[in-house]
Amino acid sequence: MSGYEEMEFCKVDVDREERTGFPEVIFGLGKTAEQTEAIFDRIAQRHGRALVTRATSEMAERIAAQYPNAIYDPVSRLVRLDGEPRRLPGTVAVLTGGTSDIPVAEEAAGTAEWMGCRVDRIYDVGVAGLHRLLAQMDRIREASVVIAVAGMEGALASVAGGLVRRPVIAVPTSVGYGANLQGVTTMLAMLTSCASGVSVVNIDNGFGAAYQAAVILQLVAEASEK
């Protein structure tokens, strides 16, 4: 068996859930609405759930015509068809430095929920008003994994990393003025964090952070089942 299904314009990895624990996720950017709908249908038929990132409203409309239970969120640009994934233990806390980081944070939060995680959204707790972050520390410390989404100089991830005994996944965003370099400055600052236990994904990659968090909690679930 090949492990994938051949389509005219792609090869759908139908065995990915068996190998990794999660179905293939569709990256909508660069695909047509027709292509996205066709891939979505194939994955939904196989797994009972499907997810599109960087989706457009046209993609969402076409999918909703076939799957009325599919949900489109224009903030995160996710199209979700939620089946019944295994509920993973623990909680993923998603933090943002500011309100402008919420679209990337919502991509992370929505993806994590689709993958079976419980999510606690803690937004607008950037270091320009450090008291806002410190006021939420009880909630943050209760989480199993922390995703820190920030632009500008990206200090949120380092501060969070120094205050919790949990993995911190840093997501640099392209939010900021000129010298932010569309997130490059933020990413480099996060990569050179002095705080231990901080890992970094690509710029604006909320999906990647959520996937990493879900893999961590999947490992916890598997260990508890032994």
Side-chain angles (χ1 to χ4, degrees):
M1 184 175 177
S2 65
Y4 62 87
E5 292 186 12
E6 189 85 40
M7 299 181 69
E8 181 182 354
F9 46 82
C10 71
K11 296 174 176 62
V12 181
D13 188 355
V14 294
D15 282 356
R16 187 172 300 185
E17 184 170 28
E18 182 177 347
R19 298 193 316 272
T20 69
F22 307 105
E24 181 177 7
V25 174
I26 305 160
F27 183 61
L29 189 65
K31 293 182 177 66
T32 66
E34 293 81 2
Q35 290 170 339
T36 304
E37 177 193 14
I39 300 169
F40 190 97
D41 179 54
R42 192 66 59 88
I43 292 173
Q45 290 289 339
R46 180 72 178 231
H47 301 288
R49 57 185 174 134
L51 177 69
V52 185
T53 66
R54 305 299 167 95
T56 65
S57 58
E58 182 185 1
M59 292 173 183
E61 289 170 4
R62 292 185 66 98
I63 290 169
Q66 190 171 4
Y67 292 93
N69 291 332
I71 301 168
Y72 173 57
D73 175 30
V75 176
S76 63
R77 293 184 288 171
L78 295 177
V79 178
R80 290 168 51 181
L81 179 66
D82 295 339
E84 295 185 3
R86 178 177 58 171
R87 291 293 114 190
L88 297 174
T91 302
V92 177
V94 181
L95 320 182
T96 71
T99 303
S100 298
D101 302 308
I102 288 177
V104 176
E106 279 299 306
E107 181 181 76
T111 298
E113 288 172 337
W114 180 81
M115 299 180 84
C117 303
R118 188 164 70 91
V119 174
D120 187 12
R121 294 164 169 83
I122 307 173
Y123 292 168
D124 197 23
V125 289
V127 299
L130 191 58
H131 56 293
R132 299 175 301 180
L133 177 67
L134 298 178
Q136 302 298 323
M137 285 313 303
D138 287 344
R139 286 172 64 187
I140 296 169
R141 287 181 173 134
E142 288 176 359
S144 308
V145 182
V146 176
I147 296 175
V149 183
M152 303 292 185
E153 82 297 331
L156 177 64
S158 290
V159 174
L163 293 173
V164 300
R165 53 191 298 170
R166 298 290 186 267
V168 175
I169 304 170
V171 186
T173 73
S174 52
V175 173
Y177 295 104
N180 174 263
L181 302 178
Q182 297 181 312
V184 174
T185 299
T186 312
M187 181 179 66
L188 294 176
M190 289 175 167
L191 285 169
T192 54
S193 172
C194 185
S196 304
V198 176
S199 60
V200 186
V201 298
N202 208 345
I203 299 167
D204 293 336
N205 189 11
F207 164 78
Y211 198 102
Q212 183 70 9
V215 167
I216 292 169
L217 296 186
Q218 179 176 247
L219 180 62
V220 173
E222 290 172 355
S224 66
E225 292 167 0
K226 292 182 178 179

